[in-house]
Amino acid sequence: MSEELKLNILSKLDSDGTIEDTSATFKGVSEEAVLGALKSLESQEVIKYKTLTTEIWTLEAEGKDQLESGSYEVRIFNAVPAGSDGITISELEAKFGKVAKLGQGKCLANKWLKKDGDKLVRTVESVTDKVQADLATVNSTSTHPSKDTLKDLKRRKLIKVTKLLSYSVSKGANFSTTLKKQATDLTMEMLQSGSWKTEEFKKFNFDSLGINPSGGHLHPLLKVREEFRQVFFETGFEEMDTSNFVESSFWNFDALFVPQQHAARDLQDTFFLKDPKLVKSLPDFWERVKNVHENGGYGSIGYRYPWSEEESKRLVLRTHTTAISSQMLHKLAQHPYRPAKYFSIDRVYRNEAVDATHLAEFHQVEGVIADKNMSLGSLIAFLDMFFKKMGMSNLRFKPTYNPYTEPSMEIFSYHEGLGKWLEIGNSGMFRPEMLRSLGLEDGVKVAGFGLSLERPTMFKYDISNIRELLGHKVDLGMIATTPACRLDKKMGQEALQKA
């Protein structure tokens, strides 16, 4: 069809010299097909063409009604009896419905009627229905001599316009009635034979738009993660290196004063490695950790059980990023005292059943503050300031139990959209049995807090099933269309109002 259409265009130009309007010459051929043929011929300078735009005006449903039954204003005028008695506005509305209000406004603007109390009375004896006449002109000619009339009818949503494209065509510099195929690529055969010297190549169209490249998109978790990072940096925190997903049980549990019989260390809760099964050696202060577990110290009686070095060497997929925090605190203890703030945001692993709200891997946001003047009150004041930066100003704290913090608190925030209190994190003061074993001097206290990254992300982006956020069920289209995250702005479920 394309080659045949090109030959027809060339034949018409050869016989008539020009084509005034392709829509009249090539009836039944789509505008897209004609344009494609013209562009191809123009690239060889065989023809030249110009774009013609024709406006076709047609009546909307309301316009058809007023063409048939008269304009709203004339209908209302005719319904008002001559003389001073007129008709009440309520009678008109009962008879004509919404047409009464629309027509009445036009009649008053045209000064055909006037108000007399709650009545309308005529100010002229008769009127001409210009709107109906204009609609008749548009309906028969698809246009109107007056642009102002077209504009007014369109504003009243009585007519609409459709723009039709066609083309005028004339001969080009290389006009011919035959088609010559141009080469599009310089091939190895052309170079070897030398035929490239006489070959006619198709010109490049540098003005044409190429295909938009499919760029990458940030996952919603990464968008929320970056917002958290900025909040931490604004409050003076230093980011910890969390590149080791595998840790020894020593750093993941023992150094945190978690007993070796604790339920968190069962196979049902932790992923243990099979090969390699054990770490080669423990840190040089492991005996201090062993002693505080078995015999206590620093005001504690310990757990009073036989601590196992082999159990401490078992390799696990880290169950929390606190394993990194304990290593950073040990490094801090090797230097002269200084206050410190550390944070981390990375993946952790739990041997849990997967459902709509739980995964075997998720992201933990954690922060620790080490200072000689640190107290529970200081931690509460900091958390209040920290969560305000994320748009959460109404906090509550509930006592809880953690093996390595005492006192410990769960953090709750009131969610206005859902109308209830939601747990958003955990916090507490690290126990001296942990801190002194790591080598921190007396008087140095450390507060810690943590929360998941997935939960606030699900609320921000209105995701109800965590498996739609992370894992093989993720919708790539969702990743491409999610907006940037602002922790201090309401999004998703947060934007909902209480019923």
Side-chain angles (χ1 to χ4, degrees):
M1 175 65 183
S2 176
E3 297 299 312
E4 182 183 352
L5 179 58
K6 292 178 186 177
L7 289 172
N8 289 339
I9 292 172
L10 296 177
S11 176
K12 189 68 175 175
L13 284 174
D14 186 48
S15 61
D16 296 353
T18 60
I19 299 174
E20 297 297 333
D21 191 335
T22 54
S23 64
T25 305
F26 302 103
K27 293 180 179 180
V29 182
S30 69
E31 182 267 331
E32 291 83 1
V34 172
L35 179 60
L38 294 178
K39 283 186 174 181
S40 177
L41 293 172
E42 186 190 43
S43 68
Q44 303 175 43
E45 298 184 357
V46 176
I47 60 106
K48 296 182 291 185
Y49 73 91
K50 294 181 180 179
T51 302
L52 306 175
T53 303
T54 305
E55 290 186 344
I56 304 297
W57 293 89
T58 55
L59 303 188
E60 297 274 22
E62 201 168 318
K64 292 178 181 178
D65 175 52
Q66 296 193 42
L67 173 63
E68 181 179 348
S69 304
S71 65
Y72 293 161
E73 51 264 44
V74 172
R75 293 188 211 176
I76 297 303
F77 178 83
N78 291 335
V80 177
S84 60
D85 291 339
I87 190 173
T88 63
I89 295 175
S90 58
E91 287 182 79
L92 281 176
E93 291 178 348
K95 184 176 181 180
F96 292 97
K98 70 172 186 177
V99 171
K101 187 173 182 180
L102 296 171
Q104 171 189 323
K106 283 292 181 181
C107 286
L108 293 174
N110 294 338
K111 296 183 179 180
W112 297 348
L113 301 176
K114 68 177 182 180
K115 283 187 177 181
D116 183 9
D118 64 343
K119 296 187 299 182
L120 292 174
V121 295
R122 291 188 182 188
T123 58
V124 294
E125 292 184 4
S126 62
V127 295
T128 302
D129 198 341
K130 183 177 181 301
V131 171
Q132 188 180 37
D134 290 336
L135 290 173
T137 301
V138 172
N139 190 51
S140 60
T141 65
S142 299
T143 186
H144 195 282
S146 171
K147 291 184 178 180
D148 290 338
T149 299
L150 290 173
K151 184 178 179 180
D152 182 59
L153 294 176
K154 183 183 178 183
R155 181 183 58 78
R156 294 178 63 175
K157 298 181 181 180
L158 300 179
I159 61 173
K160 63 181 178 180
V161 64
T162 302
K163 293 186 178 181
L164 300 180
L165 298 180
S166 59
Y167 308 93
S168 64
V169 189
S170 60
K171 295 178 181 179
N174 298 330
F175 178 78
S176 171
T177 57
T178 59
L179 295 176
K180 184 176 181 180
K181 189 172 183 180
Q182 295 177 311
T184 56
D185 297 302
L186 180 65
T187 65
M188 181 179 65
E189 290 77 11
M190 291 179 187
L191 293 173
Q192 290 174 339
S193 65
S195 63
W196 63 271
K197 297 178 182 179
T198 57
E199 187 70 58
E200 185 177 341
F201 289 91
K202 186 176 181 180
K203 291 184 178 181
F204 283 104
N205 182 5
F206 293 103
D207 294 326
S208 65
L209 295 177
I211 300 174
N212 289 328
S214 178
H217 302 277
L218 289 176
H219 191 282
L221 281 171
L222 293 179
K223 296 176 184 179
V224 178
R225 177 180 182 272
E226 185 58 28
E227 280 289 294
F228 271 108
R229 290 181 76 242
Q230 294 308 314
V231 172
F232 276 115
F233 288 138
E234 288 173 10
T235 48
F237 278 74
E238 176 185 345
E239 190 166 15
M240 296 184 278
D241 181 6
T242 56
S243 56
N244 291 331
F245 296 110
V246 175
E247 292 288 352
S248 67
S249 292
F250 178 85
W251 284 116
N252 199 76
F253 297 117
D254 294 297
L256 303 179
F257 199 55
V258 178
Q260 293 184 343
Q261 303 90 343
H262 196 278
R265 301 175 74 150
D266 292 342
L267 288 172
Q268 290 84 358
D269 294 291
T270 302
F271 290 107
F272 289 91
L273 270 65
K274 288 185 177 180
D275 186 21
K277 183 178 181 181
L278 304 176
V279 71
K280 292 181 179 180
S281 62
L282 296 177
D284 55 8
F285 67 96
W286 69 270
E287 290 186 352
R288 289 205 304 266
V289 173
K290 173 185 177 181
N291 184 62
V292 79
H293 275 252
E294 291 184 341
N295 305 310
Y298 319 110
S300 169
I301 62 173
Y303 293 116
R304 297 187 177 185
Y305 69 95
W307 186 86
S308 168
E309 182 180 350
E310 182 176 357
E311 177 67 25
S312 191
K313 287 183 176 181
R314 294 182 71 182
L315 290 169
V316 300
L317 290 179
R318 66 183 181 208
T319 61
H320 47 199
T321 52
T322 317
I324 311 298
S325 301
S326 62
Q327 295 175 53
M328 292 300 297
L329 292 173
H330 175 63
K331 289 180 182 179
L332 181 66
Q334 309 312 305
H335 303 281
Y337 164 75
R338 68 173 179 87
K341 294 179 179 180
Y342 300 117
F343 83 92
S344 63
I345 308 174
D346 213 335
R347 292 194 182 192
V348 297
Y349 305 86
R350 304 279 175 85
N351 192 1
E352 295 184 350
V354 176
D355 58 29
T357 57
H358 296 85
L359 289 176
E361 59 177 311
F362 57 96
H363 293 76
Q364 182 175 338
V365 181
E366 178 166 333
V368 294
I369 307 171
D371 198 343
K372 286 188 175 180
N373 298 318
M374 198 66 197
S375 66
L376 187 66
S378 303
L379 174 60
I380 292 174
F382 172 80
L383 291 175
D384 186 61
M385 178 271 295
F386 179 83
F387 283 103
K388 274 183 180 177
K389 286 182 173 289
M390 295 186 288
M392 304 178 192
S393 58
N394 197 354
L395 298 183
R396 281 184 180 176
F397 301 92
K398 175 184 175 183
T400 188
Y401 168 76
N402 292 318
Y404 45 89
T405 58
E406 180 60 36
S408 306
M409 303 179 300
E410 292 175 342
I411 310 167
F412 291 81
S413 175
Y414 188 76
H415 194 291
E416 294 182 359
L418 299 179
K420 63 180 180 180
W421 291 90
L422 297 177
E423 182 183 352
I424 58 173
N426 213 317
S427 64
M429 303 295 297
F430 285 117
R431 297 175 66 114
E433 298 97 321
M434 168 189 165
L435 300 179
R436 304 300 166 251
S437 298
L438 293 174
L440 291 169
E441 62 183 76
D442 289 343
V444 176
K445 297 181 180 180
V446 181
F449 61 95
L451 60 151
S452 78
L453 185 65
E454 282 74 8
R455 187 158 196 172
T457 303
M458 290 172 70
F459 276 107
K460 288 291 178 184
Y461 291 103
D462 200 14
I463 298 172
S464 59
N465 191 328
I466 195 172
R467 289 169 290 191
E468 297 174 3
L469 181 67
L470 195 65
H472 66 283
K473 293 186 177 181
V474 170
D475 179 8
L476 296 180
M478 177 272 293
I479 294 176
T481 56
T482 51
C485 174
R486 285 284 302 276
L487 291 176
D488 59 342
K489 300 293 183 183
K490 294 186 184 299
M491 298 170 58
Q493 295 182 37
E494 296 179 315
L496 298 174
Q497 299 297 320
K498 289 170 61 177

